[in-house]
Amino acid sequence: MINDPRIEWIEHADAEAWVHGVAAEMQAALAAEIQARGSARMLLSGGTTPAPIYAQLARAPLDWSRVTVGLVDERWLSPQDAASNTRLIRENLLDLARVGRFEPLVREGLSLAESVHAANLEAEHAADACLTVLGMGNDGHTASLFPGSADLDKALASPLPYAAMDATGCPVAGDWHLRITLTPAGFARTRDRILLLRGQAKRDVLLRALEDGDVRELPIRVVLGLGGQPLRVHWCA
């Protein structure tokens, strides 16, 4: 158990319980938002970690036609590429649940700058997300806010929801250096945020992030410092 007012720590017995627990929480949040406002918008992270959760959520008896799904971040590559967050979310949620609307970050036929501009226009006119699902790397990055990246300071200071990111030289970024990422300003427009963690190493990184320190060292501190609802952290070994 981790006690800190900035987070709610939810520890699961195993991976299966973790998947079912997170999916149930997401279902409840979307159902409540649809009942209260008639529709719901959520922002999702990619990667293999949340994929089984999205597949489980897709089975939920929600009015999916009233749900809009956007992205926390995306690699600058074709949405059809196997490494894109769009494709992972499409295969594990969008195609299974027949979601009403999807907000891509990479717009085919547009440049990186043009895609960022389009994403910001769409986000500015959209309802605030009722739920945002985050991950965290062993280097403390979340979204595509990588420590040591050339564009990190610009992204952290941006008043806009999304920014371009060049993560050249950041090992965790792998072969995909160019990204589009949610900024702190974008995170601030999301009401409930959940962080998905697995393994002792990720737990240790979060403990470090909860200590005082520079957000540029461990960018997950961006989310911890937002205030409002505590970050709900779902963890299993």
Side-chain angles (χ1 to χ4, degrees), residues 25-27 29-30 41-44 57 128-133 190-194:
E25 179 171 319
M26 293 177 69
Q27 176 183 341
L30 293 172
R41 178 171 175 260
M42 65 176 172
L43 304 180
L44 300 181
L57 178 64
D128 289 351
C130 68
L131 179 66
T132 298
V133 177
T190 67
R191 189 170 69 243
D192 293 331
R193 295 171 288 269
I194 64 176

Side-chain angles (χ1 to χ4, degrees), residues 80-93:
Q80 283 74 48
D81 193 292
S84 77
N85 291 339
T86 294
R87 179 165 169 178
L88 178 137
I89 290 169
R90 185 171 299 284
E91 291 178 347
N92 289 279
L93 177 63

Side-chain angles (χ1 to χ4, degrees), residues 16-189:
E16 183 178 2
W18 180 80
V19 167
H20 286 279
V22 177
E25 179 171 319
M26 293 177 69
Q27 176 183 341
L30 293 172
E33 185 77 355
I34 291 170
Q35 182 174 20
R37 294 177 173 80
S39 62
R41 178 171 175 260
M42 65 176 172
L43 304 180
L44 300 181
S45 295
T48 56
T49 298
I53 294 170
Y54 300 155
Q56 177 71 27
L57 178 64
R59 303 173 188 166
L62 294 166
D63 185 351
W64 285 103
S65 67
R66 297 178 179 270
V67 176
T68 294
V69 173
L71 295 171
V72 169
D73 66 334
E74 181 59 286
R75 296 157 175 169
W76 182 244
L77 40 68
S78 167
Q80 283 74 48
D81 193 292
S84 77
N85 291 339
T86 294
R87 179 165 169 178
L88 178 137
I89 290 169
R90 185 171 299 284
E91 291 178 347
N92 289 279
L93 177 63
L94 303 180
D95 291 344
L96 303 177
R98 299 186 182 277
V99 169
R101 189 161 184 272
F102 176 62
E103 299 171 347
L105 291 181
V106 172
R107 314 292 176 109
E108 293 189 275
L110 298 185
S111 68
L112 176 59
E114 290 169 336
S115 289
V116 172
H117 178 68
N120 281 322
L121 281 178
E122 187 163 48
E124 290 289 352
H125 290 92
D128 289 351
C130 68
L131 179 66
T132 298
V133 177
L134 302 171
M136 182 189 73
N138 287 338
D139 62 348
H141 85 268
T142 194
S144 284
L145 300 173
F146 292 95
S149 56
D151 292 331
L152 181 59
D153 284 347
K154 184 190 294 186
L156 292 176
S158 175
L160 300 174
Y162 288 100
M165 177 63 64
D166 183 348
T168 300
C170 301
V172 178
D175 295 329
W176 306 283
H177 300 144
L178 296 181
R179 310 275 186 122
I180 299 174
T181 183
L182 207 62
T183 67
F187 284 124
R189 290 187 54 182

